[in-house]
Amino acid sequence: KAGVTQTPRYLIKTRGQQVTLSCSPISGHRSVSWYQQTPGQGLQFLFEYFSETQRNKGNFPGRFSGRQFSNSRSEMNVSTLELGDSALYLCASSLVSGGGDEQFFGPGTRLTVL
Amino acid sequence: AQSVSQHNHHVILSEAASLELGCNYSYGGTVNLFWYVQYPGQHLQLLLKYFSGDPLVKGIKGFEAEFIKSKFSFNLRKPSVQWSDTAEYFCAVHPDSNYQLIWGAGTKLIIKP
């Protein structure tokens, strides 16, 4: 069974630009969660999608948005990039919604904002 | 606000030493508890989890964790570490009132050969 894949793996952008990250979950998983990981901060929850519906959202500004398609693939968009958005963005898929069971993580997208 | 605290951000041990990583959470209700590990250059993966039953749970690679409800703790242990245990370890808690996992800041473990 193929794991969670994320594209691209690395991105370099400048302030003010926007970026779209993609995540393909494990086949059969309908829940996709997005996290921002920075050194010393752990994982900060961005949002979760389940069956194309956003189920929950973390405390991030509206510049961070996402969506999920009918095949469970998900995209995350960050508009008007700021230096502080530089981080590793992780996607995780799960059979169940809400974070109550094991999540399977992708390799992440390393975003650098200059 | 609900939170998860991992007491040590960095731990350095020699091979064969015993390991205990602390994890405490702030929530008085029912929780599901997880430890995840991120080996260098690899994805985050589940080490072990606790939902209910025996509070001592065993995971992969000889790790175990004990849930002590009265102390709101879920500490990770391994009796004898190996160089290959070098990784970052994350504790995560799912409160029954919440719709997301709450993560600790992580502990970087370095094992000296």
Side-chain angles (χ1 to χ4, degrees):
Chain A
K1 199 183 237 186
V4 177
T5 58
Q6 291 186 246
T7 57
R9 293 292 312 277
Y10 301 91
L11 267 177
I12 300 175
K13 294 285 187 180
T14 57
R15 279 183 299 173
Q17 287 187 307
Q18 77 165 27
V19 67
T20 299
L21 314 181
S22 180
C23 171
S24 292
I26 289 172
S27 177
H29 287 190
R30 290 190 291 163
S31 167
V32 174
S33 297
W34 288 90
Y35 295 92
Q36 182 192 69
Q37 184 180 13
T38 52
Q41 297 286 322
L43 277 69
Q44 304 296 314
F45 174 75
L46 281 153
F47 28 67
E48 184 209 3
Y49 286 86
F50 186 86
S51 294
E52 301 179 69
T53 301
Q54 187 181 87
R55 288 294 186 94
N56 200 7
K57 192 176 189 316
N59 293 326
F60 278 82
R63 300 185 296 108
F64 292 81
S65 63
R67 58 178 175 167
Q68 187 179 34
F69 302 95
S70 59
N71 62 357
S72 294
R73 189 177 70 85
S74 178
E75 286 182 349
M76 189 191 101
N77 185 275
V78 188
S79 62
T80 319
L81 284 166
E82 300 177 0
L83 294 178
D85 297 333
S86 293
L88 181 67
Y89 290 88
L90 294 172
C91 161
S93 77
S94 179
L95 280 170
V96 301
S97 177
D101 203 348
E102 180 176 4
Q103 296 190 336
F104 295 83
F105 285 83
T109 294
R110 173 77 61 187
L111 173 64
T112 302
V113 182
L114 302 176
Chain B
Q2 296 155 350
S3 64
V4 176
S5 174
Q6 291 184 240
H7 314 298
N8 305 100
H9 292 294
H10 293 87
V11 173
I12 301 174
L13 294 172
S14 298
E15 275 194 315
S18 64
L19 170 71
E20 181 159 3
L21 300 182
C23 173
N24 286 88
Y25 62 92
S26 60
Y27 179 68
T30 302
V31 292
N32 290 347
L33 300 159
F34 305 84
W35 275 97
Y36 282 83
V37 61
Q38 190 170 34
Y39 297 103
Q42 294 189 29
H43 307 185
L44 261 171
Q45 60 182 283
L46 182 71
L47 202 53
L48 48 79
K49 62 184 179 183
Y50 172 81
F51 286 179
S52 63
D54 188 344
L56 185 62
V57 292
K58 295 191 185 301
I60 60 172
K61 303 189 179 186
F63 285 91
E64 64 179 30
E66 184 175 14
F67 171 48
I68 303 179
K69 190 173 181 179
S70 60
K71 294 185 178 180
F72 303 96
S73 71
F74 189 54
N75 291 355
L76 181 70
R77 300 196 293 246
K78 187 170 183 179
S80 176
V81 294
Q82 301 171 302
W83 177 78
S84 58
D85 294 325
T86 294
E88 190 161 16
Y89 294 80
F90 293 91
C91 178
V93 176
H94 182 259
D96 63 354
S97 68
N98 209 332
Y99 210 70
Q100 66 184 68
L101 272 178
I102 313 295
W103 292 80
T107 297
K108 285 190 177 173
L109 174 66
I110 297 172
I111 306 300
K112 298 183 295 184

